[in-house]
């Protein structure tokens, strides 16, 4: 039986949790929250006329993208997708020209001829995963996938989807470590080594976005 003092403490904790719960009603609000650097899910670095951005992609966001063109979506399908994405850590690496200093397609940055362009494109498609890693509790992980988005020249920056998974199912620190350090060693645009440290408390603070029926 809970005494009066215990009941007050429980009530206080429930109110505290309720106050910390954020809900968004539209995809536009959700995306704006993820893109706001103050929320700790998006980070960037500028160097040598290039801007490198890294965004943590929540499971809820990835599930929404998968079901975007479906006419009807139910909770069971959404839960299944979210549970699947929860087994990995997903990031979007964006490389573009720093608009404050330069303009144009990043793929032509410091490119002298078509051969150099082809080499850069090949490296972004097939070799970039060698220069990306995660460090969690001093253990280093490398991507199981680093996929360059084909934009057909419609955008001046490039997106690379990066996916990490633990080596075994028992690596709890992969899922609950306080900090996740994303490292990109840029040999394509020569901006050096970039470190982006994501905090678990920010990942856990992502607002609720219910998009299914």
């Amino acid at each position: 039986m809970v005494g009066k003092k215990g009941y007050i403490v429980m009530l206080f904790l429930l109110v505290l949790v309720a106050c910390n719960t954020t809900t968004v009603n539209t995809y536009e609000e959700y995306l704006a929250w993820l893109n706001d650097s103050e929320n700790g899910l998006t980070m960037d670095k500028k160097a040598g006329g290039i801007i490198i951005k890294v965004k943590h992609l929540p499971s809820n966001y990835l599930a929404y993208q998968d079901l975007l063109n479906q006419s009807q979506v139910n909770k069971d399908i959404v839960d299944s997708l979210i549970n699947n994405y929860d087994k990995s850590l997903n990031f979007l690496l964006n490389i573009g020209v720093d608009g404050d200093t330069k303009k144009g397609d990043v793929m032509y940055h410091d490119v002298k001829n078509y051969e150099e362009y082809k080499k850069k494109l090949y490296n972004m498609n097939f070799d970039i995963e060698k220069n990306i890693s995660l460090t969690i509790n001093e253990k280093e992980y490398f991507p199981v996938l680093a996929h360059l988005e084909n934009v057909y020249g419609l955008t001046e920056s490039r997106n690379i989807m990066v996916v990490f998974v633990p080596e075994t199912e028992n690596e709890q620190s992969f899922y609950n470590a306080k900090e996740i350090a994303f490292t990109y060693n840029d040999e394509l645009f020569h901006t050096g080594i970039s470190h982006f440290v994501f905090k678990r408390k920010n990942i856990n603070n992502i607002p609720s976005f219910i998009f299914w029926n």
Side-chain angles (χ1 to χ4, degrees):
M1 186 173 179
V2 179
K4 185 175 180 181
K5 182 182 286 187
Y7 176 79
I8 292 172
V9 171
M10 288 175 63
L11 184 62
F12 172 78
L13 290 174
L14 286 172
V15 171
L16 185 64
V17 170
C19 290
N20 288 337
T21 301
T22 305
T23 303
V24 294
N25 299 314
T26 67
Y27 175 66
E28 288 73 22
E29 288 180 88
Y30 187 57
L31 196 60
W33 196 97
L34 295 179
N35 288 334
D36 186 344
S37 59
E38 291 188 3
N39 294 321
L41 275 294
T42 299
M43 303 179 190
D44 64 67
K45 170 190 171 181
K46 295 180 180 180
I50 297 293
I51 181 167
I52 297 170
K53 300 179 183 178
V54 179
K55 181 194 302 182
H56 169 71
L57 299 178
S59 300
N60 196 279
Y61 168 87
L62 294 168
Y64 176 84
Q65 292 297 318
D66 283 353
L67 300 170
L68 191 57
N69 296 318
Q70 300 295 320
S71 57
Q72 225 173 6
V73 176
N74 64 57
K75 189 176 184 300
D76 290 339
I77 294 174
V78 174
D79 286 346
S80 177
L81 277 173
I82 289 176
N83 288 336
N84 187 54
Y85 281 122
D86 278 343
K87 298 173 183 176
S88 59
L89 287 170
N90 301 270
F91 299 86
L92 187 69
L93 171 65
N94 177 272
I95 305 174
V97 173
D98 179 6
D100 293 335
T101 57
K102 294 187 178 183
K103 303 289 183 183
D105 192 327
V106 70
M107 295 304 295
Y108 294 101
H109 180 78
D110 287 344
V111 167
K112 299 180 180 63
N113 52 55
Y114 184 63
E115 287 303 315
E116 289 187 5
Y117 170 83
K118 284 201 305 181
K119 183 178 179 181
K120 183 173 287 187
L121 183 61
Y122 178 89
N123 288 336
M124 287 193 78
N125 267 296
F126 303 109
D127 284 340
I128 198 166
E129 72 274 5
K130 298 175 183 177
N131 300 98
I132 301 172
S133 65
L134 276 190
T135 303
I136 302 174
N137 282 0
E138 299 185 357
K139 181 169 182 176
E140 195 170 27
Y141 297 87
F142 295 95
V144 294
L145 174 69
H147 174 68
L148 175 67
E149 178 183 305
N150 194 340
V151 296
Y152 303 101
L154 298 177
T155 65
E156 295 184 340
S157 64
R158 294 296 184 276
N159 285 329
I160 299 102
M161 176 75 174
V162 187
V163 181
F164 298 88
V165 297
E167 294 178 1
T168 68
E169 294 180 358
N170 299 322
E171 296 178 45
Q172 292 305 310
S173 63
F174 184 88
Y175 302 104
N176 57 30
K178 291 183 179 180
E179 293 186 345
I180 300 166
F182 184 105
T183 300
Y184 172 50
N185 182 10
D186 179 21
E187 296 179 351
L188 292 173
F189 302 94
H190 310 293
T191 61
I193 299 176
S194 298
H195 298 285
F196 304 92
V197 179
F198 295 86
K199 297 185 181 299
R200 181 67 60 178
K201 66 178 182 180
N202 292 329
I203 294 174
N204 292 339
N205 198 39
I206 296 169
S208 175
F209 172 45
I210 299 174
F211 57 87
W212 55 91
N213 299 322

